[in-house]
């Protein structure tokens, strides 16, 4: 089979105005970026139309290191629905340059299920990540400048700065540094560092903002640090919320692109799925629901991390109720969770596969707890046997889930017809209930964490480090205990131990730290070491990326 | 008079397709960015059409701290020419976000002579600065990653890294730092720092590249550091020139916008005018000359810095021959150079004005040495007296220069009719000769510097610091002595002493360092302390920037 970029290149794209026209959007509603990308005026979002739209969440079981194909599955499902004559619109996250030039590759699907133009989406796209980088770092410069010029004045003096800088690159050298060296003309020495742009609180804010006013309010609510009197110091205290919002004004509009088969996709926002909520922007979801009858969206990592945050943070905030959830599985992931050595997961292994279903079982039960009707999408590989597939199909049907094979990667929409039909039938016959949250906002922060750990992850004990306990008090003191929580843990296990595959039960879950994201509007509960700035591998993908006859090679 | 942004807002913009159509460009030649900005396919550049075009350089006498209005004069001249029925096209530099949120403001002209949409041009524009930031920092990450993963292998080991990171923000805290802290998983501790994006060698490269292939060659030629064997280590040794070029592929296309009066302007590239050559991209100049009969471009700072580099670096490289040069003066700058206290330069002072003409005299003689026919543009203020104006007019006419009043700021193109007519007449009657360079490429680096210092600046002695002397040897050893030079000195004096106003004569000129920009293709000769990362003032402009009813306030 050809490479992703070869397949992408062979696809004749439609002008973005034509894609927009299919959504009843006029050229005047678009801010074009070249011929095949456009930002769409978010004032066209219609609550009325949203009510008539069917939202579908695509999530996954606990993934392997290579991922499990959520984005590809999402795109193929949309393409399949379109082949069945339905008006399907995607709402997806935008890729980050860091992993694209590092190891993981882009985030535009694969094979015959991609969003296009994949090279442009994977590179600078419409500049959203750059705008966030700019806004984040302008804020850092303005804060350091405030501290610098106001030393010894009667203005609030800061004793601790928690705001960091960001860049959209994998760069381990920037994780920890001492800045402001070189004498007093060059600032004040400070321990600081850079995160990757997707980890910026501003990214999470952009993805949760309802409109420009809400964006500005959230920016103003960002906690930057603490004064010597131990008072919180917010962006509003710095007085630059307006300027930072100005830098994000265009980025707030969702981006419209197309699938390989000419369907519509809003690709907008890409916050981290551990230290943030990991979903595309609310703008994109709402715009997709205002223009499509079936809206397919995804949430980062497995359902324990991604879907939980999708429901408890995003759906709660915006009153969204998906009609169905698609749980992506692969035989390889099942075998890995079933105890098969990773080197052997592409070979038949019935017992391993069967054992791996325990992992599916927990995710399925969780989704059902959230009120969801679930379709298990089995992404088929050439080495999967009939018997293995039937085993999984039977198991699903016995556990209250529908089952469908998916061959979207190798066949595009055609390969996703079974999945599309199964999803349609589920929505028609047994749609999801309204979302049942894992916790109430009125619960204490401890109770919120406990409810997610016990009822979603399957843990038993929760412990708080001394630092986290101190932060609990601070959060209460600042009156932020009614915020939802965003648990940052490994994506490779239900527990906080990445080597604990399959299902983990009755484990202790250790909260090392609590981070206040008062702009985004959640409290991050950190369990274990969280990487906020990735590094590059020994042979980064960048070495394979180049231009040949004006065409880009090496993107995937 | 209304503020710049108010005037900009009141102007009804034409669709960029219409501006393009006036240049005989089809919609298919454009990559639109919204409705009023577009990148233009540089493959439309035509050497044949360029031969028929009249290039006009706008430069200035030694400026005051507030600048002297080169961009505003350039725009007004273009507008004036259009009113006279000529097809005039601008080629200008793009603004940087740092000064825009700091103190200096944007760079889109002022009053009734602006390029529009000024807010978008001053903010993210078409993402060129962001692409350069990305490319520069991706390169830094890839380099650090190479060093990190190859410690102790038989691959070349670096003892010195000269490549720095950049951000498009004024941030003094980032000037000097120690990165790579936090243990061996987080890189290798290193003394480093950030420059502002406009100071990146990649910015200079983008502005000098003839095509994509040339861009890639220049990227590959960037010197990153030295190995323990004292061998140079270039981007080509790192093997990522292709990937970095991919990040700059779109940025290389020049950006088309419009003047307040609906004329065409290519606004593209913005390298520093001291440590780089300070002109808009060659792409923009060539595209403007392929589409306009009269092309107005500018060079940063006074003619000693900007025009010299424009001629010796850019014109030499691209075989450009301006038909005339416009030397911008104001009565305030004249009086400042004539010894009048800066607090009093807005009051009549004939003697001061007359003394200040000595500064004009040196710039005029320099331009004439380069072969230029010169029009002195006197930017008129309400406090200028008839007598003062006549004095300057007579002086110019006595020194072989034409003279014209300009009221472009207050009146737009109408106010620049005298200037436009004078420029047209000069081009018709006494066009410039072909450019006579200040030095030959075959001269040694010392001789090149000496010729500029003696013949352009008016200095007498040149001294090299021990560091610069060492670099001279290194440059010879690397076979780079045939590159042109780019002298980095203060813009406030002919000498290397910023307090030495008026004319400086017979001074010693001290070269502190020589920097190899083998990608851009010049050697930077540093005289004095060069700021590569500005700081923010106590009350940065950002505090005045905000959104009101969806409109941006506070940009200028």
């Amino acid at each position: 089979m050809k490479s992703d970029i070869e397949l992408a290149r062979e696809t004749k794209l439609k002008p973005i105005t034509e894609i927009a026209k299919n959504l009843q959007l006029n050229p005047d509603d678009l801010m074009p970026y070249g011929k095949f990308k456009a930002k769409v005026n978010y004032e066209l979002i219609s609550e009325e139309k949203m009510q008539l739209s069917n939202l579908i969440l695509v999530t996954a079981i606990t993934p392997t290191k290579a991922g499990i194909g959520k984005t590809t599955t999402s795109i193929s499902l949309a393409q399949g629905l379109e082949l069945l004559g339905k008006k399907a619109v995607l709402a997806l996250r935008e890729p980050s340059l860091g992993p694209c030039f590092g190891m993981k590759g882009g985030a535009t699907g694969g094979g015959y299920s991609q969003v296009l133009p994949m090279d442009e989406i994977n590179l600078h796209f419409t500049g959203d990540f750059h705008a966030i980088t700019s806004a984040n770092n302008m804020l850092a410069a303005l804060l350091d400048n405030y501290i610098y010029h106001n030393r010894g004045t009667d203005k609030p003096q800061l004793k601790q700065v928690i705001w960091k800088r960001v860049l959209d690159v994998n760069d381990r050298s920037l994780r920890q540094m001492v800045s402001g060296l070189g004498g007093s003309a060059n600032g004040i020495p400070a321990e600081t560092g850079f995160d990757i742009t997707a980890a910026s609180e501003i990214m999470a804010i952009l993805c949760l903002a309802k409109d420009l006013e809400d964006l500005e309010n959230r920016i103003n609510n960002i906690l930057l640090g603490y004064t010597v009197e131990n008072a919180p110091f917010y962006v509003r205290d710095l007085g630059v919320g307006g300027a930072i919002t100005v830098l994000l004004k265009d980025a707030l509009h969702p981006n419209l692109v197309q699938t390989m088969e000419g369907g519509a996709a809003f690709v907008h926002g890409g916050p981290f799925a551990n230290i943030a909520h990991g979903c595309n922007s609310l703008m994109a979801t709402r715009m997709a629901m205002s223009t499509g009858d079936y809206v397919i969206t995804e949430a980062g990592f497995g359902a324990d991390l991604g879907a939980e945050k999708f429901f408890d943070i995003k759906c709660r905030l915006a009153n969204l109720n998906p009609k169905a959830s698609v749980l992506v599985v692969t035989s390889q992931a099942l075998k890995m969770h079933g105890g098969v050595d990773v080197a052997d997961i592409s070979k038949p292994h019935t017992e391993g596969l069967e054992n791996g279903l325990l992992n599916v079982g927990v995710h399925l039960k969780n989704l059902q707890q959230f009120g969801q009707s679930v379709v298990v999408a089995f992404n088929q590989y050439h080495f999967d046997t009939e018997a293995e597939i039937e085993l999984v199909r039977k198991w699903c049907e016995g556990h209250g889930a529908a089952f469908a094979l998916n061959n979207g990667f190798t066949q595009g929409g055609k390969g996703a017809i079974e999945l599309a039909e199964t999803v349609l039938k589920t929505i028609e016959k047994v749609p999801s209930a309204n979302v049942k949250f894992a916790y109430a906002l009125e619960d204490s922060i401890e109770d919120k964490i406990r409810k997610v750990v016990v009822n979603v992850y399957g843990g038993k004990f929760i412990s708080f480090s001394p630092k986290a306990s101190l932060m609990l008090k601070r959060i209460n003191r600042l009156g932020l205990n009614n915020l939802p929580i965003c648990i940052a843990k490994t994506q490779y296990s239900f527990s906080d131990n990445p080597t604990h595959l399959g299902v983990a039960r009755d484990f202790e879950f250790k909260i090392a730290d609590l981070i206040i994201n008062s702009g985004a509007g959640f409290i991050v509960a950190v369990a274990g070491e969280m990487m906020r700035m990735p590094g590059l591998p020994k042979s980064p993908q960048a070495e394979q990326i180049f231009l040949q006859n004006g065409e880009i090679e090496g993107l995937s």
Side-chain angles (χ1 to χ4, degrees), chain A:
Chain A
M1 196 168 141
K2 291 177 179 167
S3 72
D4 288 353
I5 195 154
E6 283 171 317
L7 293 171
R9 208 146 54 206
E10 285 171 15
T11 307
K12 180 146 172 57
L13 281 86
K14 297 179 185 170
I16 198 64
T17 45
E18 197 177 313
I19 304 295
K21 201 174 156 199
N22 294 340
L23 305 184
Q24 272 80 52
L25 299 172
N26 299 316
D28 273 357
D29 301 326
L30 305 183
M31 286 159 271
Y33 284 70
K35 292 179 181 62
F36 306 112
K37 302 167 290 181
K39 285 195 165 281
V40 179
N41 187 349
Y42 53 67
E43 291 179 11
L44 299 170
I45 289 171
S46 154
E47 287 289 343
E48 203 177 322
K49 288 186 184 159
M50 283 178 65
Q51 293 304 322
L52 302 172
S53 185
N54 296 287
L55 181 61
I56 301 155
L57 172 70
V58 176
T59 181
I61 62 167
T62 307
T64 66
K65 298 267 175 192
I68 209 155
K70 273 194 312 292
T71 305
T72 304
T73 306
S74 300
I75 297 168
S76 69
L77 172 56
Q79 291 178 152
L81 286 167
E82 289 263 310
L83 287 181
L84 295 175
K86 303 298 180 187
K87 196 161 157 191
V89 178
L90 283 152
L92 300 173
R93 292 168 295 167
E94 27 184 325
S96 161
L97 270 176
C100 196
F101 279 61
M103 189 156 54
K104 189 169 161 286
T108 46
Y112 287 90
S113 294
Q114 299 184 49
V115 284
L116 303 179
M118 76 86 103
D119 52 347
E120 297 181 20
I121 300 172
N122 278 315
L123 295 172
H124 306 294
F125 201 19
T126 58
D128 295 337
F129 274 55
H130 293 320
I132 290 163
T133 303
S134 251
N136 185 104
N137 297 337
M138 188 67 76
L139 186 49
L142 289 163
L143 176 61
D144 273 3
N145 189 60
Y146 166 88
I147 297 170
Y148 180 78
H149 281 297
N150 289 297
R151 281 170 298 181
T153 69
D154 55 2
K155 293 230 186 153
Q157 306 286 306
L158 271 74
K159 70 171 179 190
Q160 187 193 354
V161 168
I162 56 177
W163 191 249
K164 291 173 75 184
R165 291 174 178 82
V166 298
L167 274 179
D168 191 18
V169 62
N170 288 9
D171 193 344
R172 69 173 65 75
S173 298
L174 295 180
R175 285 177 192 150
Q176 288 190 45
M177 58 176 57
V178 174
S179 65
L181 299 177
S184 71
N186 298 319
I188 302 167
E191 280 187 64
T192 183
F194 281 68
D195 296 334
I196 194 165
T197 299
S200 170
E201 186 178 352
I202 291 182
M203 174 65 87
I205 288 174
L206 191 89
C207 289
L208 290 171
K210 275 194 306 249
D211 52 33
L212 205 52
E213 198 188 331
D214 186 33
L215 180 73
E216 184 160 356
N217 284 337
R218 287 171 185 270
I219 298 283
N220 272 315
N221 284 341
I222 294 172
L223 181 66
L224 297 171
Y226 298 93
T227 70
V228 290
E229 284 89 17
N230 216 19
F233 191 82
Y234 296 99
V235 169
R236 58 175 176 265
D237 300 313
L238 194 58
V240 299
I244 301 303
T245 305
V246 163
L247 285 172
L248 298 166
K249 183 176 72 80
D250 292 341
L252 189 58
H253 293 279
N255 308 301
L256 179 64
V257 292
Q258 62 191 283
T259 69
M260 272 187 151
E261 300 179 3
F266 288 98
V267 177
H268 192 222
F272 261 33
N274 47 33
I275 59 152
H277 61 296
C279 313
N280 61 263
S281 75
L282 194 50
M283 282 293 180
T285 305
R286 285 158 55 92
M287 183 62 83
M289 291 179 74
S290 300
T291 52
D293 297 327
Y294 294 86
V295 170
I296 300 96
T297 192
E298 52 170 353
F301 298 141
D304 51 332
L305 272 170
E308 186 274 317
K309 289 168 189 165
F310 174 77
F311 294 125
D312 279 320
I313 298 177
K314 182 169 171 174
C315 289
R316 187 190 319 249
L317 177 74
N319 195 23
L320 301 174
N321 288 293
K323 294 285 166 53
S325 284
V326 173
L327 184 65
V328 181
V329 306
T330 61
S331 64
Q332 290 139 296
L334 288 174
K335 290 173 201 165
M336 181 186 79
H337 290 298
V340 179
D341 194 274
V342 171
D344 297 324
I345 57 177
S346 299
K347 298 175 195 152
H349 198 302
T350 312
E351 196 192 332
L353 193 80
E354 205 160 1
N355 288 339
L357 286 168
L358 291 174
N359 184 279
V360 185
V362 179
H363 288 297
L364 181 57
K365 179 216 73 182
N366 286 342
L367 289 169
Q368 289 165 339
Q369 268 177 204
F370 282 109
Q372 291 301 297
S373 300
V374 179
V375 177
V376 172
F378 186 101
N379 278 347
Q380 191 171 3
Y381 283 78
H382 62 90
F383 46 72
D384 295 329
T385 67
E386 272 303 312
E388 287 176 324
I389 295 168
E390 280 316 299
L391 192 155
V392 179
R393 186 191 297 272
K394 288 237 168 64
W395 183 93
C396 289
E397 285 163 6
H399 287 76
F403 174 94
L405 278 182
N406 182 30
N407 284 289
F409 185 87
T410 50
Q411 297 172 33
K414 272 202 322 282
I417 291 291
E418 180 182 336
L419 175 60
E421 283 174 340
T422 310
V423 167
L424 284 177
K425 203 171 125 194
T426 300
I427 291 177
E428 195 195 338
K429 306 267 168 140
V430 283
S432 305
N434 280 356
V435 174
K436 300 187 179 78
F437 304 116
Y439 54 83
L441 292 182
E442 298 72 32
D443 293 340
S444 68
I445 298 290
E446 299 95 309
D447 280 349
K448 287 173 193 162
I449 297 172
R450 186 168 295 115
K451 286 183 180 179
V452 172
V453 170
V454 173
N455 300 330
V456 179
Y457 300 167
K460 193 160 186 182
F461 310 101
I462 293 101
S463 65
F464 290 85
S465 73
K467 190 175 178 194
S469 298
L470 218 71
M471 283 303 298
L472 271 178
K473 285 186 199 138
R474 185 174 265 175
I475 289 162
N476 284 320
R477 183 165 58 82
L478 297 178
L480 299 172
N481 38 318
N482 277 352
L483 291 179
I485 56 159
C486 179
I487 298 184
K489 73 165 179 75
T490 175
Q491 66 263 39
Y492 297 117
S493 171
F494 281 109
S495 75
D496 55 6
N497 175 359
T499 65
H500 200 152
L501 304 182
V503 289
R505 279 281 161 223
D506 295 340
F507 49 85
E508 182 184 354
F509 197 81
K510 297 172 286 300
I511 303 292
D513 196 6
L514 294 169
I515 300 168
I516 297 171
N517 278 3
S518 46
F522 49 68
I523 303 294
V524 182
V526 180
E529 200 65 28
M530 275 306 113
M531 183 60 72
R532 300 169 76 114
M533 172 54 98
L536 289 167
K538 182 158 185 176
S539 296
Q541 185 63 20
E543 295 173 358
Q544 311 303 325
I545 300 173
F546 57 91
L547 283 164
Q548 194 158 45
N549 306 322
E551 307 278 15
I552 299 172
E553 298 292 345
L555 283 179
S556 67

